[in-house]
Amino acid sequence: MARPIFPPLPLLLAFAICVTTCPFHGPYLPPPSADSLSKTWAQIQNNITADLAHLVKSKPASIALQVVSGSQPEPLFEYYYKEPTHLTFGRCPKDEVDGDTVFRIGSITKMFTVYALLLECGFQCFEDPIVKYIPELRDKAELGSGIDWNDITIGALASQMSGIGRDCSEVPAGGSYMSLNDMSRHLRAVLTNAQLTQTQTRRWLKPSSFQGHMTGAVGMPWEIIRVDRKTKGVYDLYRKDGGTPYYGESVYGVVDRWNVGYTVMLMFGDQRSVEVAEVEAIIVKYLANALEQAAENEAKENVAGRFVGNEGGAGNKSENEIVVSVDDDGLYIERWSSNGTDFLESYQNNIAMRKGDKDVRFGLYPSRSDDDDGGKGMRQAYRFVLGGKSPWYGCHSWVELDLWRYAQQPLDELVFVKDSENGNVRSIEWLGGRVKLERA
C-alpha cells in the first residue's frame, strides 16, 4: 500500500498551533541609521576586539576585516593583526596589515564574475545554455560524454548546480588578489545599489537551491547561511568565501535587508591557524545584537507613539486613534480606534476569522523601502500581521497578507510619513480607511 506523500492533516494542524509568532521574511524593524548603529557598536566594539585578539592568540593568523554599512562611507568597524612569523607584507618587512594590504581572494572571484555578467546583460544571459557561447560542447553531448551540455545554463554554472565536475566548472582563482579596502568598496556599492538596480540586487540575493539541512542554501554563487533569531525572524547571510591551500582564506558577506555586510581576509600562521568561519561567527554574533539594539532604540524614539485624526477640528476629540508601541519582538499596534470602534477586535473577529483568540498581537513590519514624498518627508509602508495560533500550516503571515481591500487599498497596510531630517514619524496614513492621523 502506497504511503501518503504529505503528513496527515491533524499532524499539520498540531505543528501550526505551535507557531505563535510568525514575522515576515526580512528585518522585523527598519534598518537603523548610521548614527544609531555607530553609537550602539561603540558600546560593544571592545568586546569584539577582545574576542578576536583571543582567537588569534590561540590560533595564529594575520587578519584584516571590515564591517561596512550602506548608510555611511567609512567602515563601521575595522580590525587588523599581523602574525609575527609573517615577516613581509607589502613592499618591505616593516609593513603592517591594513586596509591596503593585498591578499589572495580565492573563489570570491566567482562572485565578481557573476556581478560582471549582471552588469553586462542582466539576468537574461543566465538562462542561456553554455553551448550558445561554446558550440564545440554540443558535439560532445551528441557523442555521449555523459553530460548533456545543451541543458546546462550559465545560471547553473553560476550557482554551482550544473552537475558537471569541479574541474570543468571552476577556473583557477588562487592567483586573484585584492585589498580589503577595494573589496569593501565593492560591498558598499552592492548595499547602495550603485550599479545594479534595487530590484536586480534583491533578485540576486535569493537562493537557487536549498542544501540538505534547514540552515543552508546556495545562490549565484552565494553560500547562504540562515540564522534563526526566533521571534525577530531569520537573517539570511549571503556570503562567498575563498581559500588557497597553505595560504589563507577570505569571505565576503551581505546581511540581507539590514544594509550591512563584512569582509574578512586572513593568512594562515605556521601552526594550527584560525579559520575564516571562526572570525565570521564572532562578527555575525555582535553585528546581529548591535543591529537589533540600534533598531529598537530608534523605533522607540522615532516611530512609537500616539497618532490621532483631525476630522473633528481643533479642540474636538477624534474618533480615530492608533497607538504604536515597541516590545522585544518589534513594533506592534497597541490600540486602534476607527470611527469610535475597536478596529483590532473587528479585524480579528470578522476579517482574520480569529474570533475568541486571546492576547493577539498585531505586529507591524516594514514592507517597502522609503520613498521621497516630494520633499515633504519620507514614506515607508508597513504591514501588520496577527500573532497567536493560526489554522494555517507552518508560518502563516504570508497567507493572511492582503486578505481584504477597500477602495482598492489593502486594509492591513499603514504608511508612515517620516521627517527626512531626523527620521521622526509625523503621521500615519491608512489608505484603505482613507484616514490620516497626526502624531499627538
Side-chain angles (χ1 to χ4, degrees):
M1 179 178 178
R3 295 183 178 181
I5 297 176
F6 297 103
L9 183 60
L11 181 59
L12 295 182
L13 293 179
F15 176 77
I17 291 174
C18 296
V19 180
T20 57
T21 302
C22 192
F24 291 120
H25 181 57
Y28 72 110
L29 287 170
S33 65
D35 288 342
S36 294
L37 185 55
S38 295
K39 291 177 183 177
T40 304
W41 189 267
Q43 300 172 4
I44 63 173
Q45 65 179 358
N46 289 338
N47 294 333
I48 185 174
T49 300
D51 282 5
L52 291 170
H54 177 74
L55 185 63
V56 296
K57 183 178 180 180
S58 58
K59 298 180 179 180
S62 292
I63 296 179
L65 75 85
Q66 291 183 3
V67 177
V68 176
S69 169
S71 58
Q72 65 183 54
E74 299 299 324
L76 179 66
F77 176 75
E78 298 177 87
Y79 180 84
Y80 305 102
Y81 174 77
K82 180 181 178 181
E83 162 59 27
T85 60
H86 293 160
L87 300 180
T88 302
F89 261 109
R91 292 181 296 273
C92 66
K94 293 183 179 180
D95 284 349
E96 296 297 326
V97 174
D98 58 21
D100 292 322
T101 302
V102 175
F103 290 80
R104 288 181 175 181
I105 63 173
S107 291
I108 296 179
T109 305
K110 295 185 180 71
M111 186 273 299
F112 288 107
T113 302
V114 173
Y115 188 80
L117 283 172
L118 288 172
L119 293 177
E120 180 68 23
C121 58
F123 284 92
Q124 294 84 352
C125 62
F126 289 94
E127 299 299 323
D128 292 339
I130 60 174
V131 294
K132 177 179 178 179
Y133 304 96
I134 313 177
E136 297 87 347
L137 291 175
R138 187 178 287 112
D139 297 334
K140 290 185 176 295
E142 294 173 354
L143 292 174
S145 63
I147 300 174
D148 190 352
W149 296 99
N150 294 295
D151 288 341
I152 297 175
T153 63
I154 301 297
L157 290 176
S159 59
Q160 305 174 71
M161 294 291 296
S162 66
I164 65 177
R166 179 184 291 266
D167 57 337
C168 297
S169 59
E170 292 195 357
V171 296
S176 299
Y177 295 83
M178 183 173 287
S179 72
L180 189 72
N181 282 340
D182 285 342
M183 190 175 289
S184 294
R185 192 174 295 114
H186 179 270
L187 174 57
R188 191 173 292 107
V190 171
L191 296 173
T192 59
N193 307 297
Q195 293 176 297
L196 298 175
T197 67
Q198 187 179 66
T199 300
Q200 287 176 316
T201 301
R202 285 181 174 176
R203 183 176 175 183
W204 187 30
L205 297 179
K206 286 290 180 288
S208 299
S209 181
F210 295 102
Q211 296 184 15
H213 53 88
M214 298 297 291
T215 59
V218 292
M220 296 194 308
W222 305 110
E223 297 139 357
I224 305 164
I225 298 175
R226 311 205 75 197
V227 181
D228 186 3
R229 301 294 288 181
K230 306 304 179 184
T231 58
K232 295 176 172 60
V234 175
Y235 293 5
D236 288 338
L237 306 180
Y238 285 79
R239 58 185 296 284
K240 185 70 191 82
D241 62 23
T244 304
Y246 309 109
Y247 174 84
E249 295 178 322
S250 300
V251 66
Y252 176 114
V254 178
V255 186
D256 187 24
R257 305 294 181 89
W258 280 104
N259 200 32
V260 296
Y262 52 88
T263 54
V264 182
M265 295 177 171
L266 65 85
M267 178 181 283
F268 296 144
D270 292 338
Q271 303 171 7
R272 183 171 180 267
S273 181
V274 63
E275 297 179 359
V276 74
E278 296 175 280
V279 180
E280 189 178 14
I282 294 175
I283 296 173
V284 171
K285 179 183 71 172
Y286 283 102
L287 186 56
N289 292 335
L291 285 167
E292 291 169 1
Q293 188 60 59
E296 290 176 12
N297 292 342
E298 201 163 271
K300 290 176 182 178
E301 182 177 349
N302 293 334
V303 182
R306 177 172 172 263
F307 300 83
V308 298
N310 56 8
E311 70 283 350
N316 296 319
K317 184 178 180 180
S318 172
E319 292 188 330
N320 292 293
E321 177 192 47
I322 293 178
V323 177
V324 177
S325 299
V326 181
D327 60 14
D328 290 340
D329 296 336
L331 289 165
Y332 70 99
I333 303 174
E334 182 178 341
R335 187 167 66 250
W336 187 343
S337 176
S338 176
N339 296 322
T341 301
D342 186 338
F343 179 76
L344 298 183
E345 182 180 4
S346 298
Y347 190 93
Q348 176 184 337
N349 294 341
N350 303 316
I351 296 180
M353 298 174 287
R354 304 272 292 278
K355 188 174 182 179
D357 285 1
K358 302 296 183 181
D359 301 322
V360 174
R361 182 181 184 275
F362 281 73
L364 273 172
Y365 300 94
S367 62
R368 282 189 279 118
S369 57
D370 292 349
D371 295 318
D372 191 350
D373 192 17
K376 300 178 182 178
M378 303 297 292
R379 299 167 61 86
Q380 184 171 33
Y382 285 75
R383 294 289 186 133
F384 62 81
V385 60
L386 280 67
K389 300 176 182 178
S390 170
W392 302 108
Y393 166 59
C395 199
H396 55 81
S397 56
W398 67 274
V399 182
E400 296 181 346
L401 183 69
D402 209 12
L403 280 177
W404 293 88
R405 284 177 169 250
Y406 183 76
Q408 299 183 338
Q409 298 291 341
L411 291 179
D412 59 358
E413 181 178 77
L414 297 172
V415 177
F416 287 44
V417 182
K418 304 187 295 183
D419 188 292
S420 56
E421 294 288 333
N422 57 27
N424 187 260
V425 175
R426 301 192 307 242
S427 62
I428 296 177
E429 297 177 8
W430 182 32
L431 302 182
R434 300 182 179 183
V435 174
K436 181 176 181 179
L437 305 99
E438 304 285 344
R439 182 180 288 275

